[in-house]
Amino acid sequence: METRRFDRITRLALALKRTDKLHLKEAAQLLGVSEMTIRRDLTEPANGVVLLGGYIMRDPRQNIAHYFVSDQQNLNVSKKQQLAQHAAALIEANDTVFFDCGTTLPLVIDAIDDELPFTAICSAINTFLALKEKPNCRVILSGGEFHADNAVFTPLEQVTVLDALCPTKAFISAAGMDVRQGATCYNLNELPIKHLALQRAQTCIVVGDSSKYGKVLPARIGDFSLFDILLSDSPPPPALLKVMQVAGVKLCCG
């Protein structure tokens, strides 16, 4: 029973990526259970999901300084959608593509032509949910321990799915891009799978909208020499552009 409760709460948290709140009746219809079941589910702490005034919403008591994928979903959406169109155009028939975590890459996946056949590797639940809607996509989810804040799975064993695969392309999310520190992200638990994808992929693409320029986050992905292409909605400022050009990074910007 506890496993079913966890599954329901996880689905509610994922639904809140796309909206600020869900009416209790909507949530019950979404999960195919009674409103009373959801009320019982939420009588105990539930990974940042609460019931307030008949609505399911994110817990306002959560520490906003920490990264929660649901909190980032509605930030800079127009910029993310703009770069998503450019990203989708980079994917070719029969590619094997690694999709990183974060809130931008589900928009990239949404923009891919449904008729395009490709194989996708992912390590985050939100990218997986977007990929499974693509009728001609073979989806490979890297398993492990699930982290609800950034919605990623981290491997429990030394050997991972990526040890057996060589993607043609890897889309790596960066929450910060800085002249001195290179590409950075929020969480240390993201780094091992990012680094393995960078080692295995033929073409490595750093993805981040223009709001990420000049920012430095706690976890360092690495220098821009790790990447072949920058994917963004607009070119970086002059100093950052120069560093990327010296590193041999090509621009794919709106």
Side-chain angles (χ1 to χ4, degrees), residues 25-223:
K25 183 177 181 180
E26 293 178 285
Q29 291 174 344
L30 173 68
L31 299 180
V33 297
S34 68
E35 295 179 25
M36 184 56 68
T37 295
I38 296 177
R39 287 185 183 275
R40 284 198 299 266
D41 286 347
L42 299 180
T43 55
E44 300 177 19
N47 287 332
V49 177
V50 295
L51 176 62
L52 295 174
Y55 286 90
I56 313 294
M57 59 184 68
R58 297 189 295 272
D59 190 342
R61 297 168 296 181
Q62 293 284 7
N63 178 8
I64 60 172
H66 191 67
Y67 179 91
F68 287 88
V69 69
S70 57
D71 292 336
Q72 301 293 317
Q73 185 68 32
N74 296 321
L75 299 180
N76 304 302
V77 173
S78 62
K79 293 180 179 181
K80 294 174 183 178
Q81 289 175 332
Q82 186 176 344
L83 72 82
Q85 297 300 321
H86 295 294
L90 295 176
I91 300 171
E92 301 174 294
N94 303 313
D95 266 347
T96 298
V97 186
F98 172 78
F99 291 95
D100 199 8
C101 58
T103 57
T104 301
L105 291 179
L107 297 176
V108 170
I109 295 163
D110 288 345
I112 299 171
D113 188 340
D114 284 349
E115 300 302 315
L116 188 74
F118 68 103
T119 297
I121 310 157
C122 62
S123 59
I125 194 69
N126 58 337
T127 50
F128 170 76
L129 291 174
L131 286 163
K132 77 181 185 65
E133 299 302 320
K134 294 295 169 179
N136 290 301
C137 176
R138 177 191 181 199
V139 188
I140 302 171
L141 175 63
S142 176
E145 180 183 2
F146 180 68
H147 302 268
D149 51 359
N150 54 351
V152 301
F153 292 91
T154 54
L156 295 178
E157 301 177 356
Q158 290 186 343
V159 178
T160 72
V161 165
L162 276 167
D163 286 299
L165 297 167
C166 294
T168 50
K169 298 178 177 75
F171 290 90
I172 306 296
S173 296
M177 289 182 274
D178 178 71
V179 169
R180 291 184 58 197
Q181 301 297 345
T184 58
C185 62
Y186 282 91
N187 294 298
L188 289 170
N189 62 15
E190 299 174 22
L191 294 181
I193 199 73
K194 287 180 191 286
H195 289 162
L196 188 55
L198 287 167
Q199 292 171 20
R200 296 284 185 264
Q202 296 175 31
T203 300
C204 300
I205 303 158
V206 58
V207 181
D209 65 74
S210 54
S211 71
K212 309 303 189 293
Y213 296 153
K215 290 185 177 180
V216 177
L217 282 301
R220 187 171 187 269
I221 301 168
D223 294 331

